[in-house]
Amino acid sequence: MAPAAAVIVVPVDKNWEFKQLDKEDAEFLPVSQFPTNVHLDLIHHKIIPDPFIGKNELDVQWVGEAQWVYKTTFKGQPVPEGAKAVLAFDGLDTFATVKVNGTTILETDNMFTPERVEVTGLLKEENELVISFDSAYLRGWKLVEKYPEHKWGVWNGDNSRLAVRKAQYHWGWDWGPALLTCGPWRPINLEIYETRLADLSFDSTISENLKSAGIKATAEVEGPGGKVKFELSLDGEQVASQTADANGSGSVTVSFHLDNPSLWYPFRYGEQPLYTLTATILSGDDEISSISKRIGLRRAELVQQPLLDQPGTSFFFRVNNIPIYCGGSDWIPADNFIPRITAQKYYEWISLIRDGNQFMVRVWGGGIYEEQAFYDACDELGVLVWQDFMFGCGNYPAWPELRKSIDREARENVKLLRHHPSIVIWAGNNEDYQYQESAGLTYDFENKDAESWLQTDFPARYIYEKILSDACAELIPSTFYHPGSPWGAGRDTHDATVGDIHQWNVWHGTQEKWQDFDKLSGRFVSEFGMQAFPDVKTIDAYLPLGKDDPDRYPQSSTVDFHNKADGHERRIALYLVENMRYAPDPLEQFVYSTQLMQAECLASAYRLWKRQWKGPGREYNAGALVWQINDCWPVTSWSIVDFYLRPKHAFYTVKREMAPVSAGITRKIHKHPRDKYTRVYIDTETKIEVWGSNLTLEDLTVDVVLKAWDVTTGELTLEKKIAEGLVLPENRSTEVGALDVPVGEKGKGEENKIVVTAYIVQNGKQIARYVNWPEPLKYVHLQKPKELKVVLNDDATAVDISAEVPVKGVALECEDDAVKFDDNLVDIVPGEVVSIAVKGATKETKISTRYLGMI
């Protein structure tokens, strides 16, 4: 018997053409790239304008209601006797009909599910592959009409999206445009084989003392069995190897035992070693098929246990026995046109997240199961991933065919992603349980009869608590599955004592003051946010005439169009007018004001919630994921980094709050009536409370120094060491003390003139600093410094900033995007120099500044 031939994989990525299918005189045109989608190709040929510019989005809506066809030709490959030819489609968006040489081989209705079709009997020497795409929007509405008994309803987009398994943000969201794409959005390959490895997975068990690891590796074999060789290597050195017979079962499993394994940690807490696990089918000495995956060994847990002196339970992640305070952010797709996001762009995004001291990124449920490059970067850089399934903000239907499609989708995508050590949780949806509560849909947590859920007006419960739960239990039993986000033990999704919450009572909801975030906490806050305008260069990029555009002002029609949030005008104005003096002109200063607003708001949340990370049994708040890190187009949104990877100022304040060691101050006003009836004779005192947060794994012995200044004169009113030899225990926040606002000789009533700075000092070196201002800032009589010194050092690697009076929010600005600041939006107080590292600068680099009160 002749040995089996090696698997042949031929990319089908050349000679692709496209045209509009429902237009008689349309001609085929070459695609702009491959994989691709129709908008990219239409933009390339200037058939439509760039929808990111001006209001062009409105002019391209017809694209999503048209039909499109893609075609190519490819050469056939010899198919040995006993072998087969398969076309593998990694992703077709969405309603596709696929023909090979005129024969229909596949019809799809799910963007997220890869497909494989045998075409052995259809191939010729020259072959034609034609893929027709129907309108997902129109097909969605037809499905809505087909199921009138379902109680349709959504936040964002429209009801048609609920019926279609496609990226939900394509229908538009409150931060993104409506651009309904279609096309072959992921690779297509022709495979020739008799036997192949269909999958390689593993499950690992790390001992509690972290001294040993057990690895069970499983290879799925398609075709006649043979021997399968498993190899485990680290840094190019083999550490384990084993060969087993397939025995015709289709599945081969071996086990490895490692002593003293190299464990994968989140960044800052350890290294990120990645083993390479390889499985190879052998026919004699010949290698027939091989799969390699980079894996990380770690012990990851989600801990939900009673707290010592508060109701409810904890919700914190523990990796290799280390509790992690998960400060981080939420992720949306980085572009409306996914095929043009490069692996390098993903790496830049995740690097930015890590550089911003963010330990976790949540892949939000209205986008896509991200590309491997995204998770590869998280694995390499040590960023934890919270992964949603792709459902969001609505009441999803669950007819039988749809349930079957969702089950396939879930299983295929879990299989694709389960080897990534960065993924520590899967969640069933985004805010669908909140929608259920808002719409008054049926949900009885005590009812465990899954089939009965399908008879209610909330049938999607079956998806989240049966289909997805079963898929995860079977395929990734050691990774925690959470039915939704937010969700907690079947209770009201706003219950702050269990599970995770989305805290939108700042901005949305009751529109609370951000200074009260300490009262708006939860065990884990997986969404919260505040809007800000993007960088002025980003605004100029979407204005049709750039800097000369007549709409280059904050309230213009075009600028408003690039903010999709309902009521954004009122909300931005509310939080600005509550907190600071500002002017709409010039545009640059208004942009600065909104970014200062966002930066103050988000820093307040991180600071106050991290204060509640109190150590074992007192993990009152264990995480804060800001909505959102990124944008899918140039827009004013809640992002802290805009579409072009330009950080807003909040990126830097969040980075400071998530530093290894940080200081915190808050002001509390205490009123003491002299008798129970009076409203006149009331003694008032304003206290400052001081704490330190130590996220390192070592106890730190420190001194804490307070200094205070009169903001109007720059006079020093206090310099005092309030703690000496204080131990800040590892991985928690510690209260330092409380005292009156140091008004000096001015006396009571002058507290709103005093700026207080806390310094944490170790061995004579400052390791943390925080400047606390009277609030609201609009009441503070800010002074323009006579001399704000901004000096670029001799080798252009740092900028030194100083002033003779307290200055709020000094921002460094540079026209050159190649110039990167390590920090920004810093508060300056007299008598000290703040030094900010800079990259990409030269001695000729022009750096300008902006601060609160300069205009």
Side-chain angles (χ1 to χ4, degrees):
M1 180 177 178
V7 173
I8 298 172
V9 179
V10 181
V12 183
D13 58 359
K14 302 291 192 298
N15 306 315
W16 281 95
E17 299 177 305
F18 82 107
K19 73 170 185 177
Q20 187 174 344
L21 185 60
D22 52 355
K23 184 178 181 182
E24 288 186 7
D25 58 347
E27 296 182 354
F28 277 102
L29 295 168
V31 299
S32 58
Q33 63 176 73
F34 197 86
T36 190
N37 69 32
V38 67
H39 288 78
L40 290 174
D41 297 329
L42 292 170
I43 293 168
H44 175 74
H45 289 283
K46 296 183 171 52
I47 295 172
I48 62 170
D50 185 341
F52 289 4
I53 304 300
K55 300 178 184 178
N56 290 342
E57 175 197 349
L58 301 174
D59 297 329
V60 304
Q61 290 304 303
W62 64 273
V63 176
E65 296 187 22
Q67 296 175 321
W68 301 90
V69 60
Y70 282 79
K71 74 173 185 177
T72 190
T73 58
F74 62 94
K75 291 187 179 296
Q77 298 287 326
V79 181
E81 184 178 349
K84 64 173 71 172
V86 170
L87 277 173
F89 304 89
D90 288 357
L92 298 175
D93 176 14
T94 293
F95 290 97
T97 300
V98 183
K99 294 183 178 182
V100 172
N101 298 327
T103 298
T104 299
I105 64 165
L106 176 66
E107 292 183 348
T108 74
D109 59 6
N110 192 317
M111 173 182 176
F112 305 120
T113 304
E115 300 284 356
R116 299 176 60 82
V117 185
E118 184 178 351
V119 292
T120 310
L122 296 176
L123 293 187
K124 305 174 181 177
E125 189 173 332
E126 289 285 337
N127 300 278
E128 183 180 58
L129 175 59
V130 180
I131 310 176
S132 303
F133 292 92
D134 203 356
S135 165
Y137 178 75
L138 298 179
R139 288 282 288 270
W141 278 116
K142 290 175 183 176
L143 288 166
V144 171
E145 290 180 351
K146 184 178 178 180
Y147 296 94
E149 70 281 2
H150 181 65
K151 192 173 286 187
W152 300 91
V154 296
W155 298 326
N156 294 293
D158 59 54
N159 290 341
S160 68
R161 71 174 175 82
L162 298 178
V164 180
R165 295 310 300 146
K166 172 178 171 62
Q168 301 288 272
Y169 81 111
H170 287 170
W171 273 260
W173 221 263
D174 54 7
W175 35 257
L179 294 167
L180 281 146
T181 60
C182 71
W185 73 290
R186 280 181 169 166
I188 299 173
N189 292 301
L190 173 66
E191 300 178 7
I192 310 292
Y193 59 91
E194 180 181 359
T195 300
R196 76 171 185 116
L197 282 173
D199 192 22
L200 174 62
S201 62
F202 80 102
D203 195 17
S204 63
T205 303
I206 312 298
S207 64
E208 191 169 350
N209 65 6
L210 309 180
K211 297 296 186 182
S212 65
I215 302 169
K216 187 171 70 173
T218 300
E220 302 294 335
V221 180
E222 179 187 346
K227 291 186 180 296
V228 180
K229 182 179 182 181
F230 293 84
E231 297 174 284
L232 188 68
S233 61
L234 180 64
D235 298 329
E237 297 290 328
Q238 186 180 102
V239 297
S241 177
Q242 198 172 145
T243 301
D245 291 324
N247 293 325
S249 65
S251 178
V252 184
T253 299
V254 301
S255 295
F256 299 119
H257 177 85
L258 299 182
D259 290 323
N260 298 313
S262 295
L263 298 182
W264 184 96
Y265 286 83
F267 77 91
R268 200 193 287 168
Y269 292 102
E271 300 301 317
Q272 293 79 48
L274 295 172
Y275 289 83
T276 298
L277 177 64
T278 301
T280 305
I281 297 177
L282 301 175
S283 178
D285 294 330
D286 296 328
E287 296 185 353
I288 303 306
S289 177
S290 184
I291 296 179
S292 290
K293 294 192 176 182
R294 294 192 308 165
I295 68 172
L297 303 179
R298 83 288 188 273
R299 181 183 175 93
E301 308 159 272
L302 176 61
V303 182
Q304 299 183 85
Q305 61 191 19
L307 297 161
L308 288 177
D309 49 10
Q310 285 194 14
T313 55
S314 63
F315 192 96
F316 70 90
F317 292 89
R318 187 162 58 199
V319 181
N320 300 333
N321 301 336
I322 302 171
I324 307 294
Y325 185 83
C326 287
S329 53
D330 296 289
W331 170 272
I332 66 172
D335 199 324
N336 270 86
F337 306 134
I338 297 160
R340 71 178 174 188
I341 309 173
T342 64
Q344 178 62 31
K345 181 62 67 70
Y346 277 121
Y347 194 86
E348 290 172 4
W349 270 114
I350 303 304
S351 295
L352 200 59
I353 288 171
R354 173 174 163 147
D355 290 346
N357 290 327
Q358 298 180 37
F359 290 110
M360 176 174 276
V361 60
R362 171 175 169 249
V363 179
W364 167 76
I368 63 170
Y369 305 95
E370 275 295 348
E371 301 293 337
Q372 293 289 347
F374 173 92
Y375 304 99
D376 287 342
C378 292
D379 293 346
E380 293 171 17
L381 296 172
V383 176
L384 299 175
V385 175
W386 172 312
Q387 177 67 50
D388 283 0
F389 284 97
M390 294 301 118
F391 302 86
C393 295
N395 184 27
Y396 284 84
W399 61 78
E401 296 82 4
L402 185 58
R403 297 200 301 271
K404 184 177 179 181
S405 176
I406 289 168
D407 184 61
R408 279 194 67 212
E409 168 194 325
R411 291 172 181 273
E412 291 296 331
N413 283 282
V414 168
K415 287 179 182 179
L416 285 168
L417 301 179
R418 61 184 168 180
H419 64 285
H420 290 287
S422 53
I423 301 177
V424 292
I425 183 174
W426 284 76
N429 65 79
N430 171 78
E431 294 185 353
D432 290 354
Y433 286 100
Q434 282 200 327
Y435 183 88
Q436 167 262 316
E437 292 168 354
S438 174
L441 304 176
T442 303
Y443 185 72
D444 177 8
F445 179 66
E446 301 304 322
N447 174 18
K448 303 304 180 183
D449 178 8
E451 295 301 317
S452 72
W453 305 338
L454 294 169
Q455 309 310 313
T456 71
D457 56 6
F458 183 50
R461 180 182 181 185
Y462 190 92
I463 298 172
Y464 313 137
E465 297 181 39
K466 176 63 176 171
I467 294 174
L468 303 182
S469 177
D470 286 356
C472 289
E474 180 181 332
L475 298 172
I476 46 172
S478 59
T479 302
F480 187 82
Y481 173 73
H482 195 49
S485 181
W487 198 83
R491 300 189 194 177
D492 186 289
T493 57
H494 301 89
D495 188 331
T497 68
V498 292
D500 68 315
I501 64 168
H502 291 185
Q503 183 48 270
W504 281 110
N505 280 322
V506 172
W507 182 269
H508 288 304
T510 53
Q511 297 180 359
E512 303 290 335
K513 297 178 185 297
W514 72 62
Q515 291 84 355
D516 293 332
F517 263 132
D518 54 346
K519 303 171 187 174
L520 304 171
S521 185
R523 298 294 174 244
F524 194 106
V525 184
S526 48
E527 280 192 23
F528 69 100
M530 174 60 67
Q531 283 206 350
F533 274 55
D535 191 289
V536 170
K537 294 191 287 289
T538 297
I539 297 173
D540 289 341
Y542 73 65
L543 290 171
L545 299 178
K547 291 183 178 180
D548 297 322
D549 200 289
D551 262 7
R552 194 181 186 271
Y553 61 94
Q555 301 91 351
S556 75
S557 175
T558 306
V559 171
D560 265 356
F561 187 80
H562 282 252
N563 188 335
K564 298 298 187 179
D566 287 343
H568 64 264
E569 302 95 336
R570 296 190 301 276
R571 287 176 170 86
I572 289 175
L574 167 67
Y575 282 102
L576 278 175
V577 78
E578 272 191 350
N579 286 283
M580 64 191 70
R581 286 175 278 173
Y582 71 98
D585 293 314
L587 175 64
E588 289 78 0
Q589 188 68 15
F590 185 81
V591 168
Y592 165 85
S593 297
T594 69
Q595 290 198 13
L596 174 63
M597 171 183 75
Q598 182 193 43
E600 291 287 296
C601 172
L602 301 186
S604 177
Y606 279 93
R607 186 182 317 116
L608 294 171
W609 291 339
K610 185 158 53 73
R611 185 186 187 186
Q612 300 172 15
W613 176 249
K614 294 289 192 179
R618 294 184 171 88
E619 301 91 352
Y620 307 132
N621 175 275
L625 306 181
V626 64
W627 185 269
Q628 62 219 63
I629 182 65
N630 63 325
D631 285 322
C632 64
W633 76 314
V635 64
T636 296
S637 77
W638 297 271
S639 74
I640 61 174
V641 181
D642 73 28
F643 177 70
Y644 297 108
L645 283 93
R646 294 173 177 136
K648 299 178 186 177
H649 291 315
F651 174 83
Y652 300 102
T653 59
V654 169
K655 177 180 180 179
R656 291 199 292 268
E657 294 301 333
M658 284 303 299
V661 182
S662 60
I665 300 176
T666 190
R667 298 187 186 212
K668 300 288 185 182
I669 297 176
H670 303 276
K671 295 186 177 182
H672 307 286
R674 296 179 189 174
D675 66 62
K676 64 182 180 180
Y677 300 113
T678 184
R679 62 178 182 178
V680 176
Y681 301 105
I682 299 173
D683 295 324
T684 300
E685 59 179 355
T686 303
K687 294 277 190 181
I688 57 170
E689 300 171 0
V690 185
W691 66 94
S693 296
N694 173 17
L695 295 183
T696 75
L697 300 182
E698 296 180 359
D699 294 349
L700 302 178
T701 300
V702 301
D703 299 336
V704 180
V705 177
L706 286 189
K707 293 183 181 181
W709 292 266
D710 185 319
V711 73
T712 60
T713 65
E715 173 194 351
L716 184 70
T717 63
L718 176 75
E719 183 171 5
K720 181 179 182 181
K721 185 181 293 184
I722 65 168
E724 185 171 4
L726 174 71
V727 175
L728 296 181
E730 65 166 324
N731 204 8
R732 72 196 70 180
S733 294
T734 301
E735 300 300 314
V736 176
L739 64 157
D740 292 335
V741 172
V743 294
E745 297 178 358
K746 296 181 178 299
K748 289 196 176 293
E750 299 295 317
E751 291 87 353
N752 63 351
K753 294 182 179 179
I754 304 300
V755 175
V756 184
T757 302
Y759 303 88
I760 297 178
V761 179
Q762 183 184 40
N763 298 324
K765 180 182 178 182
Q766 176 185 308
I767 60 172
R769 167 189 184 268
Y770 171 63
V771 183
N772 175 268
W773 296 72
E775 292 186 282
L777 290 166
K778 65 181 180 180
Y779 293 159
V780 180
H781 297 165
L782 297 166
Q783 303 299 302
K784 293 182 180 179
K786 295 177 181 176
E787 189 174 16
L788 178 62
K789 294 182 179 179
V790 179
V791 180
L792 185 64
N793 68 1
D794 290 340
D795 56 2
T797 59
V799 178
D800 294 335
I801 311 170
S802 61
E804 83 286 358
V805 293
V807 185
K808 178 65 187 175
V810 176
L812 303 179
E813 299 179 353
C814 184
E815 282 293 315
D816 185 356
D817 277 340
V819 175
K820 309 287 186 185
F821 299 108
D822 186 60
D823 197 2
N824 216 327
L825 199 75
V826 293
D827 295 341
I828 304 300
V829 292
E832 67 175 87
V833 176
V834 173
S835 185
I836 295 177
V838 61
K839 294 180 180 178
T842 67
K843 283 300 292 180
E844 287 70 42
T845 296
K846 303 290 186 190
I847 296 174
S848 58
T849 58
R850 201 172 295 279
Y851 56 89
L852 184 64
M854 69 179 289
I855 294 179

